[in-house]
Amino acid sequence: MASPGLSNRNNGKRLGITEPISLGGPTEYDVIKTRELEKYLQDARLYESQEEAVSREEVLGRLDQIVKIWVKTISRAKGLNEQLVHEANAKIFTFGSYRLGVHGPGADIDTLCVGPRHATREEDFFGELQRMLSEMPEVTELHPVPDAHVPVMKFKFSGVSIDLLYAKLSLWVIPEDLDISQDSILQNADEQTVRSLNGCRVTDQILRLVPSIQNFRTTLRCMRLWAKRRGVYSNVAGFLGGINWALLVARICQLYPNALPNMLVSRFFRVYTQWRWPNPVMLCAIEEGSLGLQVWDPRRNPKDKYHLMPIITPSYPSMNSSYNVSSSTLRIMLEEFQRGNEICEAMESNKADWDTLFESYNFFEAYKNYLQIDISAENADDFRKWKGWVESRLRQLTLKIERHTYDMLQCHPHPGDFSDKSRPFHSSYFMGLQRKQGVPVTEGEQFDIRATVEEFKQSVNRYTLLERGREIRVSHVKRRNIPNFVFPGEVRPLRPSKVTWGSRRGSELKVSGDAQPDKLCEGKTDLEGSDGGQKRKRVDDTVETDSRYAKSLHLCSGEVHAASPPISNISSRSTKCESMDANKKVDDSIAVSLEKIENPADIPYQNGQIEVSSRCNPPNDSLPAAANTSSFKEAEKMALEKNMAGPYVSHQAFPELDELEDDSEYRHQVKDFSRNMKSSQMEPSEESVSVSARVNSSNGAGPSTDSYNGGLEELEPAELMVPSSNGIPPEPVAQKKSIIRLNFTSLAKAAGKSS
């Protein structure tokens, strides 16, 4: 099994495309805080035991032996002479978190099998090798996925999870000392082979481009844990995955080559809070190469212009590893970077600790309204395939909602799924909903995204046209109606379990005098509603304020206000919508009425407390007061500006994404959306304007309309006919039309009524 050396020192050469920001070494404070961090990571059980490490090595050695036997078997079967059969070879390489050395207990191992030119992917890898593995008693849960973007075979070998890719090279014989980092290995390789090789080549190149592998690993472990705790670790959901976080951390290691993990974590948040996206993050210059493969270059490739958060891989062909990021997920990550930066600065004055940084994000307390996507199938194998397909398409729902509403409605996808133990072969996914911040609210403004949801469902169901039993349902659920199975122990918490970072920040702002009441009066929160008048205001995380801060909020004309985010200086807007009867069963229909969607969202609590969240800059007394510290930060900022300067011009245009079909149907939707917006502005109602119309379902059911009567009307189920190919009359299936109703009333009018 190949295992390139890790001892890559810079030998006096600069690592990265620019000079470091600082060559300063660690202080005594950095040494102490780094030890605390390492202990924190150990206590979090991020390191595997020695026994598990040995077991993994044994599994990889056994797997390497198996593929060597496999390639000789198929070589003999193809009629090759005995000499070629004797020389036939295949090798196992590792990549991902295991290769980087940041994997934890129970993590899977990303592996790559490299074979000769006569060992095909379809017949030999997914044929003979799959058969061999299926006959071994130590191999369980074998799931081949040959039609994936990167074809993979998933299985467990002696209890160790393995993801096995295959790369067919143009060589007759695979040498034992093969170096896959050489570009020549890509000669005459097919696209699937190039993609399969990319993981190993990128991982090895990262390890070559960081000044200290040990510091890089500790920092990356920290950032991976932080991202998972804060709910921003998921490539498929539109956030960042393992390779993305590794590249971001590696760049910080280049900019601060002599820093210890404590300082690297602090500078991570400082740098990426100030980073002007979509300027790309790169570990090295992009090489054109001699094989003609396309590399990331927004000057030549139109699609590359619209990437929002480019994080470029360092090996040829260089590509953007974070193309899944959307405007909503980028906004969420930037808020989290800002929060991390504030906490790290507070740690310097002993006003926060590592526990504060790693506080878990309370997703189901962050919004009042959610989309719930339920999927189910009839058996385990079918459910596994169905789930994989739906997960790969969920990001499209976020993108379609953003595009069809011109980014006015923002989605926050939860990075994981939840299962109801009482329902076999079922999973639920959730997305938080909120109105875009800082956009003036037009009188009677309306949003209708029913067609968007129906379009998403139709695109997902293309995969299951000939399959029965696979279902997907999209529904609206309010915070108080979130199912219990999403909570730990299936017990709904009555209130936040502990004081969070935001509550401490609010208290400090009040005590220090940085937050004046008149500056807080930028938004209005109505405390009346179907939730018993118990609301919470939030920008980025769950916050509980003390009574002193609450009193300062009540000074503003008797209304409750919350501070705007300091970065964007955006004021909250009040919006009214009708409530949905919690007792009505929502099937495949969506009836979203965002009760006073605030920016940020206000959240009801059941304990009668009013809680306010605000994102603010740290108070002056939490920052180092020395003049040289201020000068150093200015120097860092100037150095960072140089890092973001380069030949790649930023483009802030709406993305022309491949996955979003720009067909006549979509254009009609845009026209209808614009027409609804215009008509709603011309004829606003006295209270709040509601959209109530039905969308034709995929079976061609005729349209129907509802009249707005001041409440949210129940949709009548339609009789849908299930296609049948055996001549038996199909059974009628009751299904409700997809509907989302989003009603926004201007703050000005609401304020006028209150006065």
Side-chain angles (χ1 to χ4, degrees), residues 35-47 225 229 355:
R35 289 174 182 168
E36 292 179 2
L37 175 60
E38 291 171 345
K39 184 180 185 304
Y40 189 97
L41 299 179
Q42 291 174 354
D43 293 343
R45 299 182 179 180
L46 296 188
Y47 298 89
L225 176 63
R229 293 272 181 92
D355 281 322

Side-chain angles (χ1 to χ4, degrees), residues 29 104 122 224 364 374 406 424 442-443 448 452 471 481 487 551 559 628 654-655 686 704:
Y29 170 83
E122 293 77 11
R224 284 164 58 95
F364 292 107
D374 293 283
Y406 299 98
T442 306
E443 182 71 27
D448 185 350
T452 303
E471 296 183 359
N481 296 325
F487 300 106
K551 289 180 181 178
E559 300 290 344
N628 58 347
F654 202 86
E686 291 187 3
S704 62

